[in-house]
Amino acid sequence: MSFFGALRHRLRVLLRPAAYQRELDEEFRFHLALDAMQRQHASQAPDGSVARMEARRRFGNVTSMKEETRHMAGLGFFDVLLQDLGFALRTLRRAPGFTTVAILTLAFGIGANTAIFSAVDAMLLRALPFRDPDQLMKLSIVRPAHGDRPGSDDGVWSYLKFAVVRDAQKDFTSLGISAEDQATITGGSDAERASGEVVNAEYLPTLGIQPILGRGITSEEERNKGAERVVLIGERLWQRRFNADPAVRGKALVIDGKPYTIVGVVPVGFRGLSGRAEWWVPVGARYEEVFEPDEAWDHRFILTARRKPGVTTARAKAAVQVLGARMNQAYPDPRYNGGPPEGAMARELDATRVDPVVRRSLLVLLGAVGLVLLIACANVANLFLVRAASRSREIAVRLAVGAGRKRLVRQLLTESLLLSLLGGVASVAFAWAGVRLLSSLNPASALRSQGIEGLGAVTFSSIHLDLTAFGFAAALALVTGILFGLVPAIAATRPSLTSALKEGTAPPARALGGIRWPGSRSVLAAVEIALALVLLAGSGLMLRSLANLLNVEPGFDPDRMLSLRLNLPGQGSRDSMPGFYDQVIERLSALPGVTGVAIGSCPPLSGGCNGTVVDLRDRPPAKEGTEPAVGVHWITPTWPAVMRVPLEKGRVFTGSDRKGTRKAVLVSHTAAQKLWPGEDPIGRPIGVGQGGFWKDTAYVAGVIGDVRYGTLDSLPGADVYLPYAQSPGSRMMVFVRAAGDPLMLAGPVRAALRGLAPDLPVYDMRTMSSRVADAAARARQGAVLLALFAGVALLLATMGIYSVISFAVTQRTREIGIRVALGATRGEVLRLVVGQGTALAVVGGILGLGAAFLATRVLQSLLFGIEPLDPVTFGVVVALLGVAAVLASWIPARRAAGVDPVVALREG
């Protein structure tokens, strides 16, 4: 038979074993019947029974031949496997307690690993949701450091600088630009606030996105040269506002009071590089001013490019560096005169998918759950060793009657693999719960408030269990089954046959330093302790870091405060805006339960407030590009009192600080020290680079306390506050202080604002306490998850110590009885047993401390106010493990101390 013929035969046998068995039975019956018929014919006997008996005798053992034939056909392995599986099932069913504990232990370990792997896969490994994502690159402006501003290699683009690169490049098929935007949407139903992107004509083609209805944006519409305003909408917006009307093309969508004609619908899975977009408009329709020559420094666009076929990454990066020099020649920034100029760089889009902080946090969690799984494997292996010791007589008998050692190892490995696979099946529930938890731990606002950036298309909300995750869980179950089953299987099949058959117990334990150790069980328990100590040290550091972060004063009082955003329509005049917000304050202040209302441009701890430069007008002007940088905020006179920000010197704004009066500013404590160190800032003249305060000189009216607008773990910045009435804007934040629960005011506040302006959307309504919680969200989530894993690790390590000591007590019952009979006291027996558990903890602790000293260095960038080798944390962790070891040893120690020497000697 040819190779392929043999292969086809083997496959047919494996795929249709029942049919093959029937054919085999028929073939054997045919041969036996033919031989019997020939013998009967030769003997001329009328009765064929003698011939059939003779034929069966000469033919041989039919059953043995069938088994040999099945083995040659490839079914022998499966026959043995089915036998082993059946025996393993019966064995595990006879020990329900052991089986349940082992399955739950493995289920948690495998499930937790699967959940974290799903997050790593979604955030770091899975291909980006664009066509040929490996061809996409992100181009950024490189800015050198100057003055008190640090350098940056991820700068965004102005349209004019982008145009220089677009017209000169030869290595990309297309270049797409996008800027995230928000607008009030009307037309089709009630007004709402929705995120969108302002893009060029090549944006969607660059990412490989095709509208499911209609068309994309043209180059004429991008420049808005006499073309009507057009918009592409997302499928969700299409369904929500237009009931998925297939005739939506040509209808109007009003964006910030201006009508846009809908030309297409984008697939539901695409929400732009920002991850939040529901509408897309051309650059010229939204930002007509970006084409003006003096707007070369209006940087707002992200630039994404698609490499041409055959263009390598290295070549593209080198080409972009050359293009950066050309861009700088066309638009040299005067701030860098005499120093390194601006440039440009390219990197793979995939490399920018998540912030390095998120990447590091995910890898730390993956390492942590890996340690948990190793501890679980060690724990289950210990349980298998204890169980194998109780089966030593059974195994010895099987070896004595001729069972091969390899055959027994395979049988025991089958039990461990079956147990691991059952744990893998049960782990789906833990993995599902873990994925649900992870997908809810990552609100976009929390990441933005911490300055964490990345592609909005890659978020924790994209985590889900898929075939990759299930495949990972299955592979993990197989590996863990072998990992925790191999050592017990080998150890169990090497008993002393004489002692095992005579006593039915395991051989005596080895002696070490006067203490008898149960060998590999003690090694596994020590490994569990060492790994648990690493996790406990890491979680302890993260928890102390979180405590330090939560103790940071944000500079305002967030309790009992509701916040919400308002955005006035674009057609409203600036002169009317202060009057409108005065009405907002008046109407909301009249609500029952409201103790104060204020307006501000940016909430604290949001990480996205405006910044500018200032000019100290009573001093020589600073060199261009070296002006002091500050944060700039617009507030109403009630803001400091409502936010409970203390006034340190001077006065706060009043109702007289309005348009037409002398311009005034407030400065923060840090700004006062930075701009006028050791001097009194009150009355000093200052120019502020935004809000119309640069041309007209203002004066410092007062100094107020520092408020943290960035992250909790960063120092307060230098901030300047402008009176809203002197520099009005349309998009503002309303702060409402309540006498009780601020959420109880949500309904009345909405109703009051709807009565004031029915078409004005109220959005982003949250308590300030929740915004403060967001600022510590990353640290809290990491600390909580690590603490959970460390707690499970400590529990498993404690179980490991208990199982080792308990088994040792059982094995040494006769010895303990002799000691008691010879005069050993109860206290001496207690110290003997507890000492053995303490010795295990000491050995494991020494190993764990060495590993923890190395492992915790990885957490350096995730900690706040604490060092990786913090002695207090390590001291508490070691003490905790010591207490756990004593408690785990105490129960078997009490049992040992209560041994009756007469009963022990009689049973021994």
Side-chain angles (χ1 to χ4, degrees):
M1 183 182 293
S2 66
F3 171 78
F4 290 105
L7 183 61
R8 278 196 305 272
H9 174 69
R10 184 67 58 86
L11 287 174
R12 188 176 68 85
V13 169
L14 293 178
L15 295 176
R16 302 180 61 190
Y20 174 74
Q21 184 64 45
R22 288 194 300 270
E23 293 173 1
L24 190 63
D25 291 341
E26 291 175 1
E27 184 174 355
F28 273 95
R29 283 196 299 270
F30 169 77
H31 284 295
L32 286 171
L34 179 63
D35 191 16
M37 184 179 64
Q38 290 174 345
R39 291 180 183 279
Q40 181 181 3
H41 179 73
S43 64
Q44 299 296 319
D47 185 4
S49 59
V50 176
R52 286 193 295 273
M53 291 179 60
E54 181 63 20
R56 185 177 292 275
R57 186 183 66 80
R58 295 293 300 272
F59 193 84
N61 191 327
V62 175
T63 302
S64 177
M65 289 186 178
K66 284 183 179 181
E67 290 181 354
E68 184 177 353
T69 306
R70 287 173 59 85
H71 181 76
M72 293 175 62
L75 290 177
F77 170 79
F78 292 97
D79 291 339
V80 175
L81 179 61
L82 288 175
Q83 292 173 8
D84 288 347
L85 284 174
F87 183 79
L89 279 172
R90 292 191 297 272
T91 303
L92 294 177
R93 195 163 51 238
R94 286 196 296 266
F98 162 81
T99 303
T100 301
V101 170
I103 287 177
L104 289 178
T105 301
L106 292 172
F108 181 85
I110 297 173
N113 274 270
T114 303
I116 299 298
F117 170 80
S118 298
V120 172
D121 180 48
M123 302 288 286
L124 305 179
L125 305 178
R126 192 181 303 163
L128 294 174
F130 310 124
R131 175 173 58 84
D132 299 329
D134 56 319
Q135 297 296 316
L136 294 174
M137 303 192 77
K138 181 181 180 182
L139 279 56
S140 305
I141 290 180
V142 178
R143 296 188 177 92
H146 71 284
D148 57 356
R149 298 176 182 83
S152 169
D153 63 356
D154 197 27
V156 293
W157 297 75
S158 67
Y159 188 90
L160 294 179
K161 290 183 177 181
F162 150 72
V164 173
V165 173
R166 178 197 60 195
D167 297 338
Q169 69 85 22
K170 298 180 180 178
D171 296 286
F172 302 102
T173 58
S174 59
L175 291 89
I177 59 172
S178 63
E180 187 178 3
D181 200 355
Q182 276 198 339
T184 300
I185 304 296
T186 54
S189 61
D190 295 336
E192 65 173 300
R193 195 73 179 167
S195 295
E197 290 180 335
V198 181
V199 301
N200 68 335
E202 294 295 323
Y203 176 67
L204 292 181
T206 298
L207 298 178
I209 303 299
Q210 293 291 332
I212 61 172
L213 184 66
R215 62 172 178 85
I217 296 170
T218 66
S219 56
E220 291 77 13
E221 292 164 342
E222 174 187 334
R223 297 284 304 197
N224 198 30
K225 292 183 176 179
E228 65 176 339
R229 292 188 177 90
V230 299
V231 61
L232 284 159
I233 61 175
E235 192 170 348
R236 287 192 180 95
L237 189 63
W238 177 46
Q239 293 171 349
R240 189 169 68 245
R241 298 192 69 86
F242 299 97
N243 296 319
D245 182 5
V248 71
R249 290 177 60 191
K251 292 187 176 182
L253 185 72
V254 180
I255 301 177
D256 279 346
K258 297 178 180 179
Y260 287 72
T261 302
I262 298 173
V263 296
V265 178
V266 173
V268 66
F270 179 71
R271 301 198 69 182
L273 291 178
S274 66
R276 293 176 287 274
E278 293 192 280
W279 50 267
W280 292 263
V281 300
V283 172
R286 189 75 170 160
Y287 307 141
E288 296 181 24
E289 71 280 0
V290 298
F291 305 108
E292 300 298 326
D294 59 350
E295 295 297 322
W297 291 272
D298 180 11
H299 299 96
R300 63 175 80 196
F301 297 104
I302 294 174
L303 175 52
T304 309
R306 180 175 290 278
R307 295 200 312 270
K308 288 181 178 179
V311 175
T312 64
T313 301
R315 174 180 163 181
K317 290 182 177 180
V320 170
Q321 288 184 338
V322 175
L323 292 170
R326 181 171 297 188
M327 173 205 71
N328 187 69
Q329 290 176 355
Y331 298 103
D333 193 323
R335 293 177 298 176
Y336 305 111
N337 288 339
E342 277 189 342
M345 68 173 295
R347 69 193 81 188
E348 296 88 342
L349 187 64
D350 187 75
T352 68
R353 61 193 297 156
V354 296
D355 189 274
V357 173
V358 175
R359 183 187 301 272
R360 194 175 298 111
S361 299
L362 283 173
L363 295 180
V364 166
L365 288 178
L366 186 62
V369 293
L371 291 180
V372 170
L373 184 60
L374 286 176
I375 295 172
C377 288
N379 196 276
V380 176
N382 239 330
L383 293 176
F384 260 88
L385 284 170
V386 171
R387 190 165 174 274
S390 65
R391 297 171 61 189
S392 59
R393 182 178 180 84
E394 169 205 335
I395 293 172
V397 170
R398 295 173 70 180
L399 286 170
V401 297
R405 204 175 294 274
K406 289 183 179 179
R407 181 70 178 82
L408 284 177
V409 169
R410 185 169 63 184
Q411 169 62 55
L412 295 175
L413 268 179
T414 301
E415 290 184 24
S416 64
L417 284 171
L418 177 61
L419 195 66
S420 181
L421 290 176
L422 291 174
V425 173
S427 74
V428 173
F430 288 96
W432 177 82
V435 165
R436 289 287 300 272
L437 175 64
L438 288 171
S439 62
S440 65
L441 285 181
N442 189 36
S445 58
L447 292 183
R448 287 199 299 272
S449 70
Q450 299 169 74
I452 295 176
E453 301 294 339
L455 293 182
V458 180
T459 64
F460 277 33
S461 60
S462 60
I463 301 173
H464 57 270
L465 292 178
D466 54 13
L467 290 179
T468 303
F470 288 128
F472 176 81
L476 206 58
L478 289 173
V479 171
T480 54
I482 295 173
L483 192 62
F484 73 75
L486 190 58
V487 172
I490 293 174
T493 55
R494 303 169 94 177
S496 171
L497 294 183
T498 303
S499 60
L501 291 173
K502 181 189 299 181
E503 302 176 12
T505 61
R510 298 189 299 275
L512 180 61
I515 301 176
R516 297 198 301 179
W517 293 75
S520 53
R521 287 184 293 277
S522 296
V523 173
L524 289 173
V527 169
E528 288 184 63
I529 295 168
L531 295 178
L533 192 146
V534 174
L535 280 177
L536 285 169
S539 66
L541 290 171
M542 292 291 285
L543 287 173
R544 292 199 65 197
S545 174
L546 175 62
N548 292 338
L549 200 62
L550 295 178
N551 287 330
V552 171
E553 287 293 335
F556 68 100
D557 183 6
D559 292 339
R560 299 182 179 182
M561 184 180 292
L562 188 69
S563 62
L564 57 105
R565 290 188 187 273
L566 292 178
N567 197 82
L568 295 181
Q571 66 267 28
S573 67
R574 285 190 172 272
D575 291 340
S576 66
M577 291 177 184
F580 172 80
Y581 281 113
D582 286 343
Q583 293 180 58
V584 169
I585 293 176
E586 180 181 355
R587 184 162 294 199
L588 296 185
S589 298
L591 293 176
V594 173
T595 61
V597 181
I599 307 290
S601 60
C602 188
L605 298 173
S606 64
C609 300
N610 283 354
T612 187
V613 295
V614 294
D615 178 33
L616 306 182
R617 298 290 164 84
D618 59 348
R619 297 181 183 176
K623 183 181 177 181
E624 189 173 8
T626 63
E627 302 94 338
V630 297
V632 59
H633 312 275
W634 288 257
I635 61 173
T636 57
T638 56
W639 188 88
V642 171
M643 301 295 290
R644 295 178 181 169
V645 178
L647 175 68
E648 297 183 355
K649 188 178 293 187
R651 68 171 180 87
V652 296
F653 296 139
T654 66
S656 62
D657 294 310
R658 306 190 71 83
K659 200 166 186 179
T661 64
R662 184 184 181 190
K663 293 188 174 179
V665 300
L666 298 178
V667 297
S668 67
H669 175 83
T670 297
Q673 290 189 330
K674 174 182 177 181
L675 301 177
W676 301 278
E679 302 178 34
D680 185 2
I682 302 301
R684 295 297 183 96
I686 186 173
V688 184
Q690 289 188 23
F693 278 58
W694 185 263
K695 182 179 178 181
D696 299 329
T697 299
Y699 75 96
V700 178
V703 179
I704 61 176
D706 284 327
V707 176
R708 295 177 187 264
Y709 288 95
T711 59
L712 282 172
D713 56 358
S714 60
L715 294 175
D719 295 301
V720 173
Y721 297 85
L722 311 182
Y724 178 74
Q726 291 184 341
S727 178
S730 61
R731 185 180 179 186
M732 299 298 287
M733 175 74 68
V734 181
F735 301 94
V736 182
R737 185 165 292 282
D741 183 2
L743 290 177
M744 298 297 292
L745 293 174
V749 166
R750 286 185 184 276
L753 293 174
R754 192 177 298 116
L756 186 62
D759 294 333
L760 190 64
V762 176
Y763 62 104
D764 195 19
M765 181 180 285
R766 303 172 59 196
T767 64
M768 286 305 298
S769 296
S770 70
R771 296 185 190 275
V772 174
D774 276 353
R778 176 178 57 83
R780 181 183 293 105
Q781 293 156 12
V784 168
L785 288 175
L786 270 183
L788 173 63
F789 299 149
V792 173
L794 179 62
L795 177 63
L796 292 176
T798 304
M799 289 172 55
I801 297 174
Y802 171 80
S803 65
V804 169
I805 302 303
S806 181
F807 181 75
V809 168
T810 302
Q811 294 291 90
R812 301 171 63 184
T813 300
R814 179 181 175 83
E815 173 202 338
I816 292 171
I818 293 174
R819 287 175 179 268
V820 173
L822 294 177
T825 65
R826 178 184 175 88
E828 289 173 338
V829 174
L830 284 172
R831 285 194 296 273
L832 176 70
V833 178
V834 173
Q836 186 171 345
T838 305
L840 278 176
V842 169
V843 173
I846 293 173
L847 295 174
L849 281 175
F853 286 155
L854 298 176
T856 52
R857 295 180 184 275
V858 179
L859 302 176
Q860 175 77 59
S861 61
L862 303 178
L863 300 178
F864 173 68
I866 191 171
E867 292 299 321
L869 300 181
D870 177 59
V872 175
T873 301
F874 278 88
V876 171
V877 166
V878 170
L880 185 62
L881 270 177
V883 171
V886 171
L887 290 177
S889 307
W890 183 254
I891 297 176
R894 288 189 61 188
R895 189 173 77 243
V899 167
D900 185 340
V902 176
V903 175
L905 292 173
R906 183 187 301 126
E907 293 180 352

